[in-house]
């Protein structure tokens, strides 16, 4: 997978770029995620060519300072501009100044101004994407290529009150998108369903042109080819364990990890990752509502990340817990190309017993009362869990009694007699850089307490376990602040982010632990 770095300080623009590149085998990384450095300086000038060139030159200086020339990597910047026809008599207005203009403008004043000028409400939104080309400089005298797209429409007659789209935060109630209705649309683009908004996305064609160029020059490929999973003649299994909350999915996965050397991946950790990438940690957007919309609009959102994680970690036997939708399972079965036979198992238990378990566990994300617990069950059923149970009824296992009986029942149906020795040979080979491995192993020692720690506290704990040169707390802070990971639960305590291992992080840490 080719990494392309996006110079932007906006997590929303970064999420939008990842969405637009979703069909290609590329990893879009923010410059801050890559280097923990500041993004480029964007001068407040109004000549587009001059702005783009100065912005590119500043980004290039920062790039050369932080990236070795031998790496020959690609990066890009993006500039958005708006031209309101009635206001653009002398120059494009607000033009490239749109971000600052929006902060200084309210709808009532703009509406009155447009009506005073004859009520011409036509506007054009434009995107300019500038791609740095270290390997293809001969294709451009400037060292970069520029891709442009635009969409025309009108400023709405009446300001609408609505919430930012939780799944697609660029369809928001803050930027010009909240006032801009594309041609043939009666609503602002931020209120359109994603399928319709995609047809009027002012950035889309610029990104597609950039991706087409990279594909034409064989720098990138389309993402994921279908697998030949159904033709595999193997005994060893990759387990996908589904079921309602507190039915025993994680308990069974941890048993498989302990006894047979499986790498446990929890799907909800990747749903949180997608949520954090779009909204940050302190958002008021409900994660349950986000997940429901995500699985409806983009059902592969978690399955695709899990498949990428399996490939990046070069994982052997894997057990996945927590898929909620049949479409997730379908996508994973379609694109998985590993050497294991996918086996889907549905684990269930009586609702009253599951609620008792949730109270005993006292997890932060567990419902605090039966009514809330039942509502969450209902929401997960809508996501597709009910359909999963119907589809995999023959592979349904109940967990209403003793764990020993639960495990024995599972093994009797799904575990080959020779599998234990085979899996032991395959386990313990996940990949991780040294710092990540040290952090995961440090927090593994604190797993039983389920306590959260600041990055400073994690650095202190890590250094206590080292005999050699201690790691700087700045390195640990940089690791956590550069990006989000599926390996950690995050909680805001007294305004500070604190971390502990997630189920996936626990699964990976166990696989990294020295024998």
């Amino acid at each position: 997978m080719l990494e392309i770095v996006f110079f932007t300080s906006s997590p929303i623009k970064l999420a939008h770029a990842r969405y637009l590149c979703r069909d290609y085998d590329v990893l879009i990384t923010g410059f801050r995620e890559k280097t923990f450095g500041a993004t480029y300086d964007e001068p407040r000038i109004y000549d587009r060519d001059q702005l783009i060139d100065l912005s590119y030159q500043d980004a290039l200086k920062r790039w050369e300072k932080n990236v070795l020339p031998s790496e020959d990597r690609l990066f890009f910047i993006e500039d958005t501009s708006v031209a309101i026809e009635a206001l653009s008599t002398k120059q494009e207005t607000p033009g490239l100044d749109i971000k600052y203009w929006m902060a200084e403008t309210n709808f009532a004043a703009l509406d009155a101004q447009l009506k005073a000028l004859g009520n011409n409400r036509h506007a054009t939104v434009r995107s300019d994407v500038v791609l740095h080309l270290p390997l293809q400089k001969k294709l451009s005298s400037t060292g970069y290529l520029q891709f442009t797209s635009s969409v025309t429409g009108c400023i709405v007659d009446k300001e609408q009150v609505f919430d930012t789209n939780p799944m697609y935060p660029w369809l928001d109630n803050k930027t010009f998108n909240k006032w801009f209705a594309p041609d043939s649309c009666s609503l602002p683009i931020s209120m359109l369903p994603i399928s319709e908004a995609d047809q009027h996305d002012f950035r889309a064609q610029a990104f597609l042109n950039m991706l087409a160029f990279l594909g034409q020059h064989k720098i990138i490929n389309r993402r994921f080819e279908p697998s030949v999973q159904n033709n595999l003649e193997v005994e060893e299994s990759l387990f996908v364990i589904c079921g309602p909350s507190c039915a025993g999915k994680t308990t069974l996965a941890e048993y498989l990890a302990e006894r047979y050397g499986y790498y446990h991946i929890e799907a909800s950790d990747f749903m949180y990752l997608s949520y954090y990438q779009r909204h940050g940690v302190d958002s008021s957007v409900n994660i349950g509502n986000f997940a429901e919309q995500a699985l409806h609009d983009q059902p592969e959102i978690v399955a695709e990340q899990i498949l990428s994680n399996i490939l990046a970690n070069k994982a052997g036997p894997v057990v996945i817990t927590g898929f909620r939708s049949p479409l997730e399972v379908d996508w994973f079965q379609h694109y998985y190309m590993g050497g294991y036979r996918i086996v889907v198992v549905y684990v269930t238990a009586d609702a009253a017993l599951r609620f008792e378990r949730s109270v005993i566990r006292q997890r932060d994300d567990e419902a605090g009362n039966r009514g809330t617990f039942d509502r969450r069950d209902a929401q997960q059923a809508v996501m597709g869990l009910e359909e999963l149970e119907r589809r995999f009824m023959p592979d349904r296992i109940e967990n209403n009694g003793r764990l020993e009986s639960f495990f024995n029942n599972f093994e009797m149906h799904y575990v080959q007699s020779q599998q234990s020795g085979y899996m032991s040979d395959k386990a313990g080979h996940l990949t991780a850089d040294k710092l990540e491995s040290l952090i995961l192993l440090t927090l593994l020692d604190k797993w039983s307490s389920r306590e959260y720690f600041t990055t400073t506290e994690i650095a202190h704990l890590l250094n206590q376990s080292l005999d050699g040169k201690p790691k700087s707390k700045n390195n640990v802070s940089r690791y956590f602040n550069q990006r989000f990971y599926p390996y950690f639960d995050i909680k805001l305590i007294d305004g500070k982010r604190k971390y502990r291992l997630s189920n996936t992080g626990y699964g990976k840490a166990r696989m990294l632990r020295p024998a």
Side-chain angles (χ1 to χ4, degrees), residues 234-263:
V234 294
E235 297 295 335
E236 296 75 30
S237 302
L238 182 156
F239 290 110
V240 175
I241 302 177
C242 307
S245 298
C246 302
K249 302 184 299 296
T250 299
T251 301
L252 179 56
E254 290 179 354
Y255 176 78
L256 290 171
E258 181 68 28
R259 183 169 175 82
Y260 299 107
Y262 273 78
Y263 170 36

PDB file of all heavy atoms in Angstrom, residues 234-263:
ATOM      1  N   VAL A 234      -8.186 -26.257   3.444  1.00  0.00           N
ATOM      2  CA  VAL A 234      -7.330 -26.210   4.627  1.00  0.00           C
ATOM      3  C   VAL A 234      -8.157 -26.593   5.843  1.00  0.00           C
ATOM      4  O   VAL A 234      -9.379 -26.478   5.847  1.00  0.00           O
ATOM      5  CB  VAL A 234      -6.721 -24.797   4.826  1.00  0.00           C
ATOM      6  CG1 VAL A 234      -5.770 -24.452   3.702  1.00  0.00           C
ATOM      7  CG2 VAL A 234      -7.827 -23.749   4.915  1.00  0.00           C
ATOM      8  N   GLU A 235      -7.481 -27.038   6.875  1.00  0.00           N
ATOM      9  CA  GLU A 235      -8.152 -27.418   8.112  1.00  0.00           C
ATOM     10  C   GLU A 235      -8.191 -26.260   9.103  1.00  0.00           C
ATOM     11  O   GLU A 235      -9.123 -26.134   9.886  1.00  0.00           O
ATOM     12  CB  GLU A 235      -7.420 -28.610   8.746  1.00  0.00           C
ATOM     13  CG  GLU A 235      -7.438 -29.872   7.885  1.00  0.00           C
ATOM     14  CD  GLU A 235      -8.834 -30.422   7.719  1.00  0.00           C
ATOM     15  OE1 GLU A 235      -9.682 -30.176   8.575  1.00  0.00           O
ATOM     16  OE2 GLU A 235      -9.094 -31.104   6.709  1.00  0.00           O
ATOM     17  N   GLU A 236      -7.162 -25.408   9.102  1.00  0.00           N
ATOM     18  CA  GLU A 236      -7.061 -24.356  10.098  1.00  0.00           C
ATOM     19  C   GLU A 236      -8.075 -23.248   9.806  1.00  0.00           C
ATOM     20  O   GLU A 236      -8.353 -22.937   8.647  1.00  0.00           O
ATOM     21  CB  GLU A 236      -5.642 -23.783  10.122  1.00  0.00           C
ATOM     22  CG  GLU A 236      -4.580 -24.787  10.540  1.00  0.00           C
ATOM     23  CD  GLU A 236      -4.258 -25.791   9.457  1.00  0.00           C
ATOM     24  OE1 GLU A 236      -4.370 -25.441   8.267  1.00  0.00           O
ATOM     25  OE2 GLU A 236      -3.912 -26.943   9.792  1.00  0.00           O
ATOM     26  N   SER A 237      -8.576 -22.628  10.860  1.00  0.00           N
ATOM     27  CA  SER A 237      -9.687 -21.694  10.709  1.00  0.00           C
ATOM     28  C   SER A 237      -9.333 -20.298  11.187  1.00  0.00           C
ATOM     29  O   SER A 237      -8.595 -20.115  12.159  1.00  0.00           O
ATOM     30  CB  SER A 237     -10.905 -22.190  11.507  1.00  0.00           C
ATOM     31  OG  SER A 237     -11.288 -23.479  11.084  1.00  0.00           O
ATOM     32  N   LEU A 238      -9.880 -19.314  10.488  1.00  0.00           N
ATOM     33  CA  LEU A 238      -9.972 -17.946  10.972  1.00  0.00           C
ATOM     34  C   LEU A 238     -11.404 -17.787  11.457  1.00  0.00           C
ATOM     35  O   LEU A 238     -12.347 -17.939  10.676  1.00  0.00           O
ATOM     36  CB  LEU A 238      -9.657 -16.955   9.855  1.00  0.00           C
ATOM     37  CG  LEU A 238      -9.662 -15.466  10.208  1.00  0.00           C
ATOM     38  CD1 LEU A 238      -8.793 -14.687   9.217  1.00  0.00           C
ATOM     39  CD2 LEU A 238     -11.059 -14.844  10.249  1.00  0.00           C
ATOM     40  N   PHE A 239     -11.562 -17.502  12.746  1.00  0.00           N
ATOM     41  CA  PHE A 239     -12.903 -17.444  13.324  1.00  0.00           C
ATOM     42  C   PHE A 239     -13.430 -16.010  13.334  1.00  0.00           C
ATOM     43  O   PHE A 239     -12.724 -15.078  13.726  1.00  0.00           O
ATOM     44  CB  PHE A 239     -12.902 -17.994  14.744  1.00  0.00           C
ATOM     45  CG  PHE A 239     -12.697 -19.481  14.815  1.00  0.00           C
ATOM     46  CD1 PHE A 239     -11.520 -20.018  15.306  1.00  0.00           C
ATOM     47  CD2 PHE A 239     -13.680 -20.354  14.369  1.00  0.00           C
ATOM     48  CE1 PHE A 239     -11.322 -21.379  15.367  1.00  0.00           C
ATOM     49  CE2 PHE A 239     -13.492 -21.729  14.416  1.00  0.00           C
ATOM     50  CZ  PHE A 239     -12.305 -22.241  14.916  1.00  0.00           C
ATOM     51  N   VAL A 240     -14.666 -15.846  12.896  1.00  0.00           N
ATOM     52  CA  VAL A 240     -15.416 -14.602  13.019  1.00  0.00           C
ATOM     53  C   VAL A 240     -16.552 -14.884  13.991  1.00  0.00           C
ATOM     54  O   VAL A 240     -17.475 -15.636  13.678  1.00  0.00           O
ATOM     55  CB  VAL A 240     -15.961 -14.138  11.657  1.00  0.00           C
ATOM     56  CG1 VAL A 240     -16.834 -12.899  11.833  1.00  0.00           C
ATOM     57  CG2 VAL A 240     -14.818 -13.857  10.688  1.00  0.00           C
ATOM     58  N   ILE A 241     -16.465 -14.308  15.187  1.00  0.00           N
ATOM     59  CA  ILE A 241     -17.434 -14.597  16.250  1.00  0.00           C
ATOM     60  C   ILE A 241     -18.352 -13.395  16.416  1.00  0.00           C
ATOM     61  O   ILE A 241     -17.907 -12.293  16.755  1.00  0.00           O
ATOM     62  CB  ILE A 241     -16.724 -14.925  17.573  1.00  0.00           C
ATOM     63  CG1 ILE A 241     -15.789 -16.131  17.368  1.00  0.00           C
ATOM     64  CG2 ILE A 241     -17.734 -15.214  18.669  1.00  0.00           C
ATOM     65  CD1 ILE A 241     -14.977 -16.488  18.590  1.00  0.00           C
ATOM     66  N   CYS A 242     -19.627 -13.601  16.165  1.00  0.00           N
ATOM     67  CA  CYS A 242     -20.629 -12.540  16.255  1.00  0.00           C
ATOM     68  C   CYS A 242     -21.581 -12.842  17.413  1.00  0.00           C
ATOM     69  O   CYS A 242     -21.631 -13.955  17.925  1.00  0.00           O
ATOM     70  CB  CYS A 242     -21.408 -12.443  14.955  1.00  0.00           C
ATOM     71  SG  CYS A 242     -20.384 -12.266  13.482  1.00  0.00           S
ATOM     72  N   GLY A 243     -22.355 -11.840  17.771  1.00  0.00           N
ATOM     73  CA  GLY A 243     -23.340 -12.025  18.816  1.00  0.00           C
ATOM     74  C   GLY A 243     -23.594 -10.743  19.577  1.00  0.00           C
ATOM     75  O   GLY A 243     -22.862  -9.756  19.425  1.00  0.00           O
ATOM     76  N   PRO A 244     -24.625 -10.709  20.417  1.00  0.00           N
ATOM     77  CA  PRO A 244     -24.967  -9.504  21.169  1.00  0.00           C
ATOM     78  C   PRO A 244     -23.967  -9.234  22.290  1.00  0.00           C
ATOM     79  O   PRO A 244     -23.110 -10.065  22.604  1.00  0.00           O
ATOM     80  CB  PRO A 244     -26.357  -9.829  21.729  1.00  0.00           C
ATOM     81  CG  PRO A 244     -26.373 -11.326  21.825  1.00  0.00           C
ATOM     82  CD  PRO A 244     -25.558 -11.820  20.672  1.00  0.00           C
ATOM     83  N   SER A 245     -24.086  -8.072  22.899  1.00  0.00           N
ATOM     84  CA  SER A 245     -23.191  -7.671  23.983  1.00  0.00           C
ATOM     85  C   SER A 245     -23.252  -8.659  25.139  1.00  0.00           C
ATOM     86  O   SER A 245     -24.329  -9.134  25.521  1.00  0.00           O
ATOM     87  CB  SER A 245     -23.568  -6.274  24.499  1.00  0.00           C
ATOM     88  OG  SER A 245     -23.418  -5.312  23.476  1.00  0.00           O
ATOM     89  N   CYS A 246     -22.070  -8.967  25.685  1.00  0.00           N
ATOM     90  CA  CYS A 246     -21.930  -9.791  26.887  1.00  0.00           C
ATOM     91  C   CYS A 246     -22.410 -11.228  26.680  1.00  0.00           C
ATOM     92  O   CYS A 246     -22.762 -11.915  27.647  1.00  0.00           O
ATOM     93  CB  CYS A 246     -22.653  -9.160  28.075  1.00  0.00           C
ATOM     94  SG  CYS A 246     -22.056  -7.503  28.462  1.00  0.00           S
ATOM     95  N   ALA A 247     -22.439 -11.683  25.424  1.00  0.00           N
ATOM     96  CA  ALA A 247     -22.821 -13.072  25.167  1.00  0.00           C
ATOM     97  C   ALA A 247     -21.658 -14.022  25.409  1.00  0.00           C
ATOM     98  O   ALA A 247     -21.865 -15.213  25.624  1.00  0.00           O
ATOM     99  CB  ALA A 247     -23.327 -13.223  23.736  1.00  0.00           C
ATOM    100  N   GLY A 248     -20.422 -13.498  25.332  1.00  0.00           N
ATOM    101  CA  GLY A 248     -19.252 -14.344  25.543  1.00  0.00           C
ATOM    102  C   GLY A 248     -18.275 -14.334  24.387  1.00  0.00           C
ATOM    103  O   GLY A 248     -17.367 -15.178  24.327  1.00  0.00           O
ATOM    104  N   LYS A 249     -18.410 -13.389  23.463  1.00  0.00           N
ATOM    105  CA  LYS A 249     -17.537 -13.323  22.286  1.00  0.00           C
ATOM    106  C   LYS A 249     -16.082 -13.119  22.700  1.00  0.00           C
ATOM    107  O   LYS A 249     -15.186 -13.857  22.273  1.00  0.00           O
ATOM    108  CB  LYS A 249     -17.971 -12.182  21.357  1.00  0.00           C
ATOM    109  CG  LYS A 249     -19.404 -12.272  20.871  1.00  0.00           C
ATOM    110  CD  LYS A 249     -19.733 -11.169  19.899  1.00  0.00           C
ATOM    111  CE  LYS A 249     -19.592  -9.781  20.488  1.00  0.00           C
ATOM    112  NZ  LYS A 249     -20.541  -9.526  21.575  1.00  0.00           N
ATOM    113  N   THR A 250     -15.840 -12.096  23.527  1.00  0.00           N
ATOM    114  CA  THR A 250     -14.472 -11.788  23.949  1.00  0.00           C
ATOM    115  C   THR A 250     -13.911 -12.907  24.813  1.00  0.00           C
ATOM    116  O   THR A 250     -12.728 -13.269  24.695  1.00  0.00           O
ATOM    117  CB  THR A 250     -14.441 -10.452  24.717  1.00  0.00           C
ATOM    118  OG1 THR A 250     -14.899  -9.411  23.854  1.00  0.00           O
ATOM    119  CG2 THR A 250     -13.042 -10.129  25.201  1.00  0.00           C
ATOM    120  N   THR A 251     -14.735 -13.465  25.670  1.00  0.00           N
ATOM    121  CA  THR A 251     -14.290 -14.577  26.523  1.00  0.00           C
ATOM    122  C   THR A 251     -13.816 -15.747  25.677  1.00  0.00           C
ATOM    123  O   THR A 251     -12.762 -16.350  25.947  1.00  0.00           O
ATOM    124  CB  THR A 251     -15.438 -15.019  27.444  1.00  0.00           C
ATOM    125  OG1 THR A 251     -15.841 -13.917  28.247  1.00  0.00           O
ATOM    126  CG2 THR A 251     -15.007 -16.171  28.343  1.00  0.00           C
ATOM    127  N   LEU A 252     -14.569 -16.069  24.631  1.00  0.00           N
ATOM    128  CA  LEU A 252     -14.187 -17.165  23.746  1.00  0.00           C
ATOM    129  C   LEU A 252     -12.919 -16.818  22.968  1.00  0.00           C
ATOM    130  O   LEU A 252     -12.027 -17.655  22.799  1.00  0.00           O
ATOM    131  CB  LEU A 252     -15.332 -17.481  22.789  1.00  0.00           C
ATOM    132  CG  LEU A 252     -15.084 -18.597  21.767  1.00  0.00           C
ATOM    133  CD1 LEU A 252     -14.681 -19.900  22.472  1.00  0.00           C
ATOM    134  CD2 LEU A 252     -16.314 -18.806  20.897  1.00  0.00           C
ATOM    135  N   ALA A 253     -12.819 -15.571  22.504  1.00  0.00           N
ATOM    136  CA  ALA A 253     -11.632 -15.149  21.750  1.00  0.00           C
ATOM    137  C   ALA A 253     -10.377 -15.222  22.616  1.00  0.00           C
ATOM    138  O   ALA A 253      -9.311 -15.659  22.152  1.00  0.00           O
ATOM    139  CB  ALA A 253     -11.826 -13.731  21.217  1.00  0.00           C
ATOM    140  N   GLU A 254     -10.484 -14.807  23.874  1.00  0.00           N
ATOM    141  CA  GLU A 254      -9.329 -14.867  24.767  1.00  0.00           C
ATOM    142  C   GLU A 254      -8.944 -16.314  25.063  1.00  0.00           C
ATOM    143  O   GLU A 254      -7.755 -16.628  25.236  1.00  0.00           O
ATOM    144  CB  GLU A 254      -9.625 -14.097  26.044  1.00  0.00           C
ATOM    145  CG  GLU A 254      -9.694 -12.579  25.819  1.00  0.00           C
ATOM    146  CD  GLU A 254     -10.013 -11.800  27.081  1.00  0.00           C
ATOM    147  OE1 GLU A 254     -10.303 -12.446  28.125  1.00  0.00           O
ATOM    148  OE2 GLU A 254      -9.990 -10.552  27.033  1.00  0.00           O
ATOM    149  N   TYR A 255      -9.924 -17.189  25.104  1.00  0.00           N
ATOM    150  CA  TYR A 255      -9.628 -18.616  25.281  1.00  0.00           C
ATOM    151  C   TYR A 255      -8.847 -19.151  24.077  1.00  0.00           C
ATOM    152  O   TYR A 255      -7.854 -19.884  24.227  1.00  0.00           O
ATOM    153  CB  TYR A 255     -10.931 -19.386  25.459  1.00  0.00           C
ATOM    154  CG  TYR A 255     -10.753 -20.890  25.562  1.00  0.00           C
ATOM    155  CD1 TYR A 255     -10.310 -21.479  26.749  1.00  0.00           C
ATOM    156  CD2 TYR A 255     -11.027 -21.709  24.475  1.00  0.00           C
ATOM    157  CE1 TYR A 255     -10.150 -22.860  26.838  1.00  0.00           C
ATOM    158  CE2 TYR A 255     -10.872 -23.088  24.562  1.00  0.00           C
ATOM    159  CZ  TYR A 255     -10.424 -23.655  25.751  1.00  0.00           C
ATOM    160  OH  TYR A 255     -10.257 -25.018  25.842  1.00  0.00           O
ATOM    161  N   LEU A 256      -9.277 -18.776  22.878  1.00  0.00           N
ATOM    162  CA  LEU A 256      -8.573 -19.204  21.669  1.00  0.00           C
ATOM    163  C   LEU A 256      -7.166 -18.615  21.617  1.00  0.00           C
ATOM    164  O   LEU A 256      -6.229 -19.260  21.147  1.00  0.00           O
ATOM    165  CB  LEU A 256      -9.366 -18.789  20.431  1.00  0.00           C
ATOM    166  CG  LEU A 256     -10.680 -19.531  20.188  1.00  0.00           C
ATOM    167  CD1 LEU A 256     -11.463 -18.878  19.054  1.00  0.00           C
ATOM    168  CD2 LEU A 256     -10.416 -20.994  19.876  1.00  0.00           C
ATOM    169  N   ALA A 257      -7.019 -17.375  22.090  1.00  0.00           N
ATOM    170  CA  ALA A 257      -5.690 -16.752  22.110  1.00  0.00           C
ATOM    171  C   ALA A 257      -4.763 -17.474  23.085  1.00  0.00           C
ATOM    172  O   ALA A 257      -3.597 -17.741  22.772  1.00  0.00           O
ATOM    173  CB  ALA A 257      -5.819 -15.280  22.499  1.00  0.00           C
ATOM    174  N   GLU A 258      -5.296 -17.813  24.253  1.00  0.00           N
ATOM    175  CA  GLU A 258      -4.477 -18.451  25.282  1.00  0.00           C
ATOM    176  C   GLU A 258      -4.141 -19.897  24.930  1.00  0.00           C
ATOM    177  O   GLU A 258      -2.998 -20.338  25.087  1.00  0.00           O
ATOM    178  CB  GLU A 258      -5.222 -18.401  26.623  1.00  0.00           C
ATOM    179  CG  GLU A 258      -4.463 -19.023  27.785  1.00  0.00           C
ATOM    180  CD  GLU A 258      -3.236 -18.235  28.187  1.00  0.00           C
ATOM    181  OE1 GLU A 258      -3.227 -16.994  27.984  1.00  0.00           O
ATOM    182  OE2 GLU A 258      -2.281 -18.851  28.701  1.00  0.00           O
ATOM    183  N   ARG A 259      -5.112 -20.623  24.424  1.00  0.00           N
ATOM    184  CA  ARG A 259      -4.922 -22.055  24.217  1.00  0.00           C
ATOM    185  C   ARG A 259      -4.294 -22.383  22.861  1.00  0.00           C
ATOM    186  O   ARG A 259      -3.494 -23.304  22.736  1.00  0.00           O
ATOM    187  CB  ARG A 259      -6.265 -22.775  24.353  1.00  0.00           C
ATOM    188  CG  ARG A 259      -6.165 -24.305  24.232  1.00  0.00           C
ATOM    189  CD  ARG A 259      -7.455 -24.963  24.627  1.00  0.00           C
ATOM    190  NE  ARG A 259      -7.434 -26.395  24.417  1.00  0.00           N
ATOM    191  CZ  ARG A 259      -6.906 -27.283  25.267  1.00  0.00           C
ATOM    192  NH1 ARG A 259      -6.355 -26.849  26.403  1.00  0.00           N
ATOM    193  NH2 ARG A 259      -6.936 -28.578  24.999  1.00  0.00           N
ATOM    194  N   TYR A 260      -4.659 -21.587  21.826  1.00  0.00           N
ATOM    195  CA  TYR A 260      -4.234 -21.941  20.479  1.00  0.00           C
ATOM    196  C   TYR A 260      -3.381 -20.875  19.790  1.00  0.00           C
ATOM    197  O   TYR A 260      -3.017 -21.048  18.627  1.00  0.00           O
ATOM    198  CB  TYR A 260      -5.458 -22.241  19.607  1.00  0.00           C
ATOM    199  CG  TYR A 260      -6.277 -23.397  20.123  1.00  0.00           C
ATOM    200  CD1 TYR A 260      -7.507 -23.177  20.719  1.00  0.00           C
ATOM    201  CD2 TYR A 260      -5.814 -24.706  20.019  1.00  0.00           C
ATOM    202  CE1 TYR A 260      -8.271 -24.232  21.191  1.00  0.00           C
ATOM    203  CE2 TYR A 260      -6.569 -25.773  20.490  1.00  0.00           C
ATOM    204  CZ  TYR A 260      -7.797 -25.525  21.082  1.00  0.00           C
ATOM    205  OH  TYR A 260      -8.544 -26.581  21.555  1.00  0.00           O
ATOM    206  N   GLY A 261      -3.088 -19.790  20.460  1.00  0.00           N
ATOM    207  CA  GLY A 261      -2.213 -18.782  19.875  1.00  0.00           C
ATOM    208  C   GLY A 261      -2.846 -17.872  18.848  1.00  0.00           C
ATOM    209  O   GLY A 261      -2.181 -17.349  17.961  1.00  0.00           O
ATOM    210  N   TYR A 262      -4.152 -17.623  18.978  1.00  0.00           N
ATOM    211  CA  TYR A 262      -4.831 -16.732  18.041  1.00  0.00           C
ATOM    212  C   TYR A 262      -4.549 -15.267  18.378  1.00  0.00           C
ATOM    213  O   TYR A 262      -4.400 -14.896  19.549  1.00  0.00           O
ATOM    214  CB  TYR A 262      -6.343 -16.952  18.098  1.00  0.00           C
ATOM    215  CG  TYR A 262      -6.841 -18.043  17.197  1.00  0.00           C
ATOM    216  CD1 TYR A 262      -6.695 -19.385  17.541  1.00  0.00           C
ATOM    217  CD2 TYR A 262      -7.456 -17.750  15.983  1.00  0.00           C
ATOM    218  CE1 TYR A 262      -7.151 -20.395  16.720  1.00  0.00           C
ATOM    219  CE2 TYR A 262      -7.919 -18.752  15.144  1.00  0.00           C
ATOM    220  CZ  TYR A 262      -7.758 -20.076  15.522  1.00  0.00           C
ATOM    221  OH  TYR A 262      -8.212 -21.069  14.685  1.00  0.00           O
ATOM    222  N   TYR A 263      -4.511 -14.446  17.343  1.00  0.00           N
ATOM    223  CA  TYR A 263      -4.475 -12.984  17.486  1.00  0.00           C
ATOM    224  C   TYR A 263      -5.916 -12.485  17.507  1.00  0.00           C
ATOM    225  O   TYR A 263      -6.649 -12.631  16.534  1.00  0.00           O
ATOM    226  CB  TYR A 263      -3.693 -12.373  16.321  1.00  0.00           C
ATOM    227  CG  TYR A 263      -3.755 -10.869  16.197  1.00  0.00           C
ATOM    228  CD1 TYR A 263      -3.786 -10.021  17.312  1.00  0.00           C
ATOM    229  CD2 TYR A 263      -3.747 -10.267  14.927  1.00  0.00           C
ATOM    230  CE1 TYR A 263      -3.817  -8.644  17.172  1.00  0.00           C
ATOM    231  CE2 TYR A 263      -3.778  -8.889  14.772  1.00  0.00           C
ATOM    232  CZ  TYR A 263      -3.824  -8.082  15.907  1.00  0.00           C
ATOM    233  OH  TYR A 263      -3.855  -6.705  15.765  1.00  0.00           O
TER     234      TYR A 263
END
